[in-house]
Amino acid sequence: MTNETTCTCSTPLFGGALVAALPHGLLDASNIRPVPDNQEVFIATATNNQLQQSNATSTQSTQSSITSVVIDILEQPCGADASPTAVVRAHVTEILRLAGTTDVEQLVSTLAVTEIQPPLDARVVFGGAAHLPQMNITVLVLRLGEPLSADIVVTLSGGTLSDASAVAHSFKVVHKSLFGV
């Protein structure tokens, strides 16, 4: 999202309690299907075929290759002092298991986690991301410190590590009341 081919816009999440820059043109899936309260889902308006054709024919396209963005607010699966690698691997393991993926342990054991460097929202303790080429997804985890104590897990279908980094750098907690604080 920091690359030249993706336009982003500041997107309010969870009723405006959080904000992050997401690719322009994504639709809020809650307008067409139920979405759990701890999740936000955005989907591309173009099909994968249209995105591939657009990206192949134009080097200055404003379309992102991202086909969906799922943002979850989840409990922290590891202790508060866990490393970014351990936290990202724990969330990726759960995502892969829920997707019915076989060889989860093998995929996760070879997973390279990239730490996201500040500037981040001051409430973010750390950020880490990993790209899974087998599934064409990038998973970003932002760990929120005390008193919020939650993990924000962003799954970008078709996204890259630079897309995840851009989301991380644009992320802001606007209202901590979302976390019961």
Side-chain angles (χ1 to χ4, degrees):
M1 300 198 322
T2 56
N3 65 39
E4 297 173 358
T5 62
T6 306
C7 293
T8 62
C9 59
S10 183
T11 304
L13 306 167
F14 301 99
L18 307 176
V19 176
L22 299 179
H24 180 70
L26 293 177
L27 297 176
D28 184 344
S30 67
N31 292 327
I32 55 175
R33 70 167 179 86
V35 173
D37 289 344
N38 71 317
Q39 189 176 75
E40 292 276 6
V41 179
F42 297 89
I43 54 176
T45 56
T47 65
N48 281 335
N49 236 6
Q50 290 170 324
L51 289 171
Q52 288 171 351
Q53 288 173 354
S54 172
N55 289 336
T57 59
S58 172
T59 58
Q60 293 300 316
S61 169
T62 59
Q63 282 290 337
S64 169
S65 60
I66 295 174
T67 57
S68 70
V69 177
V70 179
I71 303 164
D72 293 288
I73 299 175
L74 300 173
E75 291 183 15
Q76 298 176 340
C78 307
D81 59 346
S83 72
T85 297
V87 172
V88 171
R89 285 184 174 175
H91 284 295
V92 168
T93 297
E94 185 65 14
I95 290 168
L96 293 174
R97 286 198 175 120
L98 290 172
T101 305
T102 58
D103 301 329
V104 170
E105 300 308 321
Q106 180 183 358
L107 286 171
V108 173
S109 68
T110 61
L111 191 64
V113 175
T114 302
E115 288 194 40
I116 306 294
Q117 298 301 315
L120 299 170
D121 183 291
R123 294 177 183 95
V124 176
V125 176
F126 63 74
H131 182 70
L132 289 90
Q134 311 87 327
M135 300 178 71
N136 195 26
I137 64 170
T138 300
V139 178
L140 164 69
V141 178
L142 300 174
R143 170 139 299 180
L144 302 179
E146 294 289 339
L148 308 181
S149 299
D151 285 347
I152 306 299
V153 179
V154 182
T155 306
L156 305 163
S157 294
T160 65
L161 288 172
S162 69
D163 292 324
S165 182
V167 171
H169 285 94
S170 69
F171 177 83
K172 289 185 179 47
V173 176
V174 179
H175 302 290
K176 61 184 180 181
S177 60
L178 175 68
F179 302 93
V181 177

